[in-house]
Structures are given as C-alpha cells and as structure tokens.
Amino acid sequence: MKRFIYWFRNDLRLHDNEGLLKATQKADEVLPVFVFDPRLFGKNSLGFRKTGVYRARFIIESVADLRASLRKAGSDLLVRVGEPERVLAELAQNYDVDELHLSKEIAQEETDVESSLSKRLKQLNVDMAFTWMSTLYHVRDLPFAINRLPDVFTDFRKVVEKNATVRPTVSTPEGVELPRADYEAGEIPTLEELGFAEEEIVDLDPKGVLDFQGGETAGLRRLHDYLWESDNIASYKETRNGMLGPDYSSKFSAWLSLGCLSPRRIYEEVKKYEAERTANDSTYWLIFELLWRDFFHFVMLRWGTRLFKPSGLKLEKDKRWRHDRDLFEKWKTGQTGVPFVDANMREIVATGFMSNRGRQNVASFLAHDLGLDWTWGAAWFESLLIDYDVCSNWGNWNYVAGVGNDPRQDRYFNQYSQATRYDAEGEYVKYWLPELGKVPADKIHRVWQLTPDEQQEHGVILGRDYPLPIVEADKWLKQK
Ligand SMILES: Cc1cc2nc3c(=O)[nH]c(=O)nc-3n(C[C@H](O)[C@H](O)[C@H](O)COP(=O)(O)OP(=O)(O)OC[C@H]3O[C@@H](n4cnc5c(N)ncnc54)[C@H](O)[C@@H]3O)c2cc1C
C-alpha cells in the first residue's frame, strides 16, 4: 500500500497537472495539501507586505476553488497555516507517507523551503518527487544547456521555436483516492487570520480592468471568453498596448502565476482556435508573449539570486541608486506630477493590476528619471500585483532598469511621447486622475505647462489639486 502527499504550490489546478497525475497513478492513496506560509504575508524591510491584500484574497479564492473541485472528485484538500517544511514533514510522519510529490520551483525562497523540507523528509525516509510544470516549453526540451541560455530574448525565441516542441497537456486525474485514515481537512484562513488588519482589507476598485476572481474555474472561464465568446484574441496584436477595460489583453497572467491556468492548455486552446476560426498575427502573438514568460523563468533558473540585487544580472556595480524615501512615496502613491505615471500608479494601488505598457513606463521612470533603487519598485509591485510572478516581475524589472543581460536593449521610456502615443486623447489619465478631467487632450500630458489662467479655466490648480512634477519634465518634450 503506497501513500503519498501531493503538495500544491503554484499549480492550483486539476487540468494539465502532471505532478498530481503522476502521484495518483503511482499511489494507492494521495493526500492533497496546501499550506499558507505566514512568511509570505509578513512585512518586508521597506515596511509593506510581501503579499498585499489583493493577491492574498486571490490565493484564498484559488484554494477554495481547488478544494471544491477535489471534493467534487470525491477527495479533499487539506489546508494548513504554517511553514510548509515543518507542516509537511509532520503530516508525512503522522500519516506514514511514502513519498511527497510537488512541482519544481526555482527562485531562492522556494528552493530554500525545498531543501529544508528535503532534510526533514530524509530523516523520515520519505522520498521527494519533483515535476517541472510552470512553463510552456519543458526545461528538458530546451535545445541548449541552461548555462547557454541566450542573453537576448529574440535569440532565445528563435532557437526554441525552431528546435523545440510544446508537450501535450496531460489528462485530469480520474480520482484522487484519499487515505482511509481520519484526517482533519482544516479551515481556509481568512484575511484576518493571515494577519491583515481591518483597515487593510479593502475590495478591488470596481473601476479596475477586470473583477479578478481566483481559481481554476474562473481562469478557464476567462480563457474561454477571451477566445471563443468574444474573439478578442483575433485582434490581440492591435489592442495589447491598451490600458482601459477588460478586452485589450488576455489578463491570463493572474491565473498563470498561481498555476490556475496551465500555459500548455492556453497553447492548445489557441491552436484549436486557429484551426476552427482564425490564425493570424494576433493568435501567434499571444503565444509569443508566453515565450517571454518562459524566458524569464529560464533567466531565473540560470542566474538565481542575481535577479534580486540592485546590480542585477549584469553585476552592474558602478551605478549608484538613490534611497530617498520621500521620492519613493510619491512614486508609490501616484503623486509625481507626471500624469501618465500617476494614473498607472493609482491604478495598481486601487486594483492590483497595471497594463504592460504602464509597467514599463513607471519602472523606467523610477529607475532612470528618479534614479531610485529599482529593487524598491520591484518590491512594491510584488506587494500589489495580483499576477505577481517572481520570475516575470524581477526579470522585467532587471531589463527595464538596465541591469539585465541584453546589450541591445535601451529601456528608457520618454513619458511624454509614450503618453501621447498610447493615450492620445488622455482618456486613461482622466479615468484615474479625475482632478484633470477638464484639461484638454493636447495639454493633459504636459499639464505642468499650464499657465495660471489655463489652470483656472480647466479647474486644476497645480501644487494644490495636482502636484507639480518632481523631475524636470520639459526634457521629454525637447527629446521628442
Ligand atoms: C516592470 C514589470 C513587471 C512585471 N511583473 C509581472 C509579474 O509580476 N507577473 C506577470 O505575470 N507579468 C509581469 N510583467 C509582464 C506583463 O506586464 C504582464 O504579464 C502582463 O501585463 C499581464 O497582462 P495580460 O495577461 O493581459 O498579458 P497579455 O498581453 O495578454 O500576455 C499574455 C501572457 O504572456 C505573458 N507575458 C506578456 N508579457 C510578458 C512579459 N513582458 N514578461 C513575462 N511574461 C509576459 C503573461 O503570462 C501574460 O499573461 C511585468 C512587466 C514589467 C514591465
């Protein structure tokens, strides 16, 4: 009689879950477990939570959805709060488990937990079995050794597209046979139980792009809607740089990051859509973007902790980053006096989401215009983003801050030209900065130039209703 634990990590789904499938095929009984690790909800050295309330809620919803699906399948999900390495070793001992199965993670904190758990399990003679699951292309199918990962994304993409194939999704386990022994299923903790104070527990602003709901069920629904219901995927390439509303990009990221959606499932669904409806540049481009996601996962695998340090992948030691808390606070709260930056920063604070266009711009502004330590910005994103993914977040920040490995990339964004290009009518800025609601479109992205008379006329007094810029902003107009 073989009894295994299956530890769910960032793979909160039943579809295309190879690790779970293998465990159920090999064992007579499987104990599915999820552990809320309090260390992930605590505060960092900058004084804010590593996982803020929006993502915490999304995780809770995802776990609840997984539990409901497992219960429907005649099984259950054990839920615990504590340090996974301790909790799981204890469960393994109490239930006389033979093996513990789990997905492979690659970033420092996650692999530290793996090592610590492995030491404890060794003493109990319990084996650990890892499955690689988070990327579109399997790490073993890469046509190069990981220490030969190309520095430049395009080189990576070309060689992968030419020489590797995406493995097919695996089937959903038919049944997950629970141990016959008595067990305590455990309650899913509330936000309060995870340490959030009453005033921190705020709802997502309904003005957000989507009412993000955690879990595999909602993730699969979004996949279905974006492809089959709305056909939005067929115009993805033209709309992906938008910033308003649910349709401009897929919004799959939140479900991908917790593994509620499998990238291979998305891939197969897109292929099916191409066969049955349309195959065009847009359908290709969505897969192309999933390759960016893969790229940053492999960058993390190759470079590890370098991604979290100000010197970055490049080991850029000469650059001096500023550590000015006041400036940082202004950036965080959207009070820089640069409307395009402020609108984006207010959006992420209110909703836990920001478009890719916005992320690139506010990151460039923090690192290059303010000269602030970019790791602070990355930490703020980590706290707020519902779709936070350790590899994509820290990888993208490295590249925008100019400490990535790509010699060809100049990631300086001119805020004025970006704003006039991607928000020509100022609709986005007005949406998040209602105090600028009456400023005409041709002036809104250089609002700091309004004369006193114009300020009166357009109902905004600079320095009172809206801040004056904290950088010399006219430089962008001269560069244009
Ligand atoms: C500074 C910065 C920080 C970021 N932090 C994160 C993060 O924590 N988590 C995260 O998932 N993405 C992150 N991104 C990448 C990107 O902004 C988001 O993936 C995207 O905006 C999510 O929206 P979407 O799902 O509608 O994307 P779509 O445009 O619909 O793209 C489809 C999918 O492709 C992947 N993708 C697209 N662009 C990128 C990219 N540049 N890098 C990696 N994957 C990409 C995502 O999985 C996304 O869901 C960051 C980008 C920047 C510039």
Side-chain angles (χ1 to χ4, degrees):
M1 225 278 303
K2 281 198 185 125
R3 184 179 289 165
F4 293 178
I5 284 178
Y6 187 76
W7 177 26
F8 281 97
R9 308 174 83 192
N10 289 316
D11 58 328
L12 301 181
R13 63 174 183 269
L14 298 186
H15 75 271
D16 195 29
N17 192 325
E18 202 172 330
L20 178 67
L21 183 69
K22 279 199 278 195
T24 56
Q25 286 170 341
K26 238 179 114 188
D28 302 297
E29 295 179 351
V30 176
L31 201 58
V33 181
F34 183 85
V35 188
F36 285 86
D37 184 344
R39 290 170 295 201
L40 301 183
F41 301 92
K43 292 198 174 157
N44 61 19
S45 57
L46 291 163
F48 47 82
R49 291 191 189 277
K50 232 172 125 49
T51 303
V53 71
Y54 302 139
R55 190 164 71 259
R57 188 183 286 119
F58 194 82
I59 298 171
I60 290 173
E61 289 166 356
S62 301
V63 170
D65 184 61
L66 182 65
R67 172 176 267 182
S69 303
L70 281 163
R71 285 186 174 165
K72 247 188 242 156
S75 179
D76 206 342
L77 179 67
L78 265 69
V79 175
R80 298 287 184 271
V81 180
E83 295 179 356
E85 58 274 35
R86 291 174 199 279
V87 171
L88 291 158
E90 216 176 280
L91 284 172
Q93 186 164 29
N94 292 350
Y95 289 100
D96 197 15
V97 160
D98 301 287
E99 294 179 20
L100 184 142
H101 285 235
L102 68 168
S103 57
K104 183 76 191 95
E105 291 279 344
I106 49 179
Q108 176 86 45
E109 287 169 4
E110 290 76 4
T111 53
D112 282 351
V113 170
E114 288 171 8
S115 324
S116 162
L117 176 60
S118 151
K119 277 189 208 125
R120 288 162 205 262
L121 293 181
K122 236 178 236 152
Q123 287 166 4
L124 302 170
N125 208 14
V126 176
D127 287 336
M128 256 169 118
F130 290 97
T131 306
W132 181 275
M133 287 203 288
S134 60
T135 51
L136 182 61
Y137 286 89
H138 197 285
V139 66
R140 286 198 207 292
D141 298 338
L142 292 180
F144 42 76
I146 198 69
N147 60 2
R148 301 263 160 168
L149 174 73
D151 286 338
V152 178
F153 169 73
T154 309
D155 299 343
F156 162 81
R157 178 184 60 78
K158 283 188 183 154
V159 72
V160 167
E161 282 179 339
K162 190 157 171 241
N163 301 299
T165 43
V166 175
R167 296 185 185 186
T169 53
V170 301
S171 54
T172 301
E174 275 169 19
V176 184
E177 198 65 42
L178 273 172
R180 272 163 274 275
D182 277 349
Y183 62 87
E184 184 76 49
E187 295 281 324
I188 298 175
T190 61
L191 289 166
E192 288 87 346
E193 283 159 354
L194 289 176
F196 289 88
E198 207 180 315
E199 64 274 12
E200 287 178 280
I201 304 181
V202 287
D203 288 336
L204 289 182
D205 190 322
K207 281 171 75 182
V209 288
L210 207 66
D211 180 19
F212 287 101
Q213 171 83 32
E216 178 180 21
T217 310
L220 288 171
R221 200 186 311 127
R222 174 70 190 168
L223 176 61
H224 182 78
D225 286 353
Y226 191 71
L227 274 63
W228 303 103
E229 289 296 320
S230 65
D231 284 308
N232 277 329
I233 188 175
S235 51
Y236 170 71
K237 195 160 180 240
E238 295 82 56
T239 55
R240 58 180 284 274
N241 276 308
M243 288 178 290
L244 280 170
D247 297 339
Y248 67 79
S249 64
S250 73
K251 317 293 184 304
F252 294 157
S253 53
W255 292 284
L256 278 165
S257 58
L258 280 185
C260 302
L261 263 182
S262 133
R264 298 193 303 207
R265 175 65 183 268
I266 298 176
Y267 180 83
E268 285 181 0
E269 206 71 25
V270 172
K271 291 287 153 199
K272 191 163 165 243
Y273 183 91
E274 288 181 330
E276 292 179 18
R277 294 214 183 149
T278 329
N280 60 16
D281 282 358
S282 284
T283 53
Y284 164 74
W285 214 263
L286 192 82
I287 306 300
F288 173 101
E289 292 298 336
L290 288 177
L291 271 164
W292 266 110
R293 180 175 175 276
D294 270 20
F295 179 61
F296 285 122
H297 279 242
F298 297 129
V299 165
M300 179 67 81
L301 187 63
R302 176 166 183 196
W303 297 109
T305 48
R306 276 200 202 180
L307 267 99
F308 303 113
K309 300 195 176 123
S311 50
L313 295 182
K314 223 175 167 178
L315 295 179
E316 171 69 77
K317 300 277 189 213
D318 295 336
K319 173 95 188 158
R320 290 276 158 261
W321 300 100
R322 293 166 78 189
H323 293 103
D324 182 324
R325 296 265 183 167
D326 285 346
L327 280 184
F328 182 50
E329 202 52 37
K330 292 193 166 118
W331 177 82
K332 271 170 66 193
T333 52
Q335 297 290 343
T336 70
V338 181
F340 197 55
V341 173
D342 290 343
N344 275 290
M345 294 309 295
R346 296 209 203 158
E347 179 182 8
I348 195 178
V349 168
T351 71
F353 191 82
M354 189 194 290
S355 68
N356 186 54
R357 184 55 40 197
R359 294 182 205 201
Q360 291 180 313
N361 276 282
V362 301
S364 166
F365 181 79
L366 175 117
H368 303 301
D369 293 304
L370 298 179
L372 287 176
D373 184 340
W374 66 268
T375 65
W376 287 14
W380 185 236
F381 269 33
E382 171 170 352
S383 182
L384 286 176
L385 282 175
I386 297 179
D387 69 14
Y388 170 71
D389 170 302
V390 59
C391 309
S392 294
N393 188 56
W394 291 85
N396 271 290
W397 270 96
N398 263 263
Y399 279 76
V400 180
V403 295
N405 255 340
D406 185 343
R408 290 191 311 198
Q409 266 166 344
D410 172 14
R411 292 304 192 99
Y412 180 71
F413 288 80
N414 175 323
Q415 301 297 324
Y416 180 71
S417 38
Q418 287 279 308
T420 46
R421 181 163 171 196
Y422 294 104
D423 184 31
E425 299 304 316
E427 280 173 61
Y428 174 74
V429 158
K430 288 185 185 183
Y431 190 73
W432 288 106
L433 307 175
E435 62 271 41
L436 302 184
K438 294 195 196 121
V439 180
D442 63 330
K443 301 212 170 103
I444 194 152
H445 295 305
R446 48 187 178 98
V447 69
W448 56 85
Q449 292 187 330
L450 293 183
T451 62
D453 284 350
E454 286 173 323
Q455 294 177 35
Q456 285 292 344
E457 188 188 339
H458 305 315
V460 57
I461 305 299
L462 295 173
R464 187 192 75 188
D465 308 323
Y466 184 69
L468 286 155
I470 57 173
V471 293
E472 198 278 292
D474 281 335
K475 65 181 175 187
W476 295 315
L477 282 85
K478 290 179 205 139
Q479 280 168 7
K480 222 189 148 219

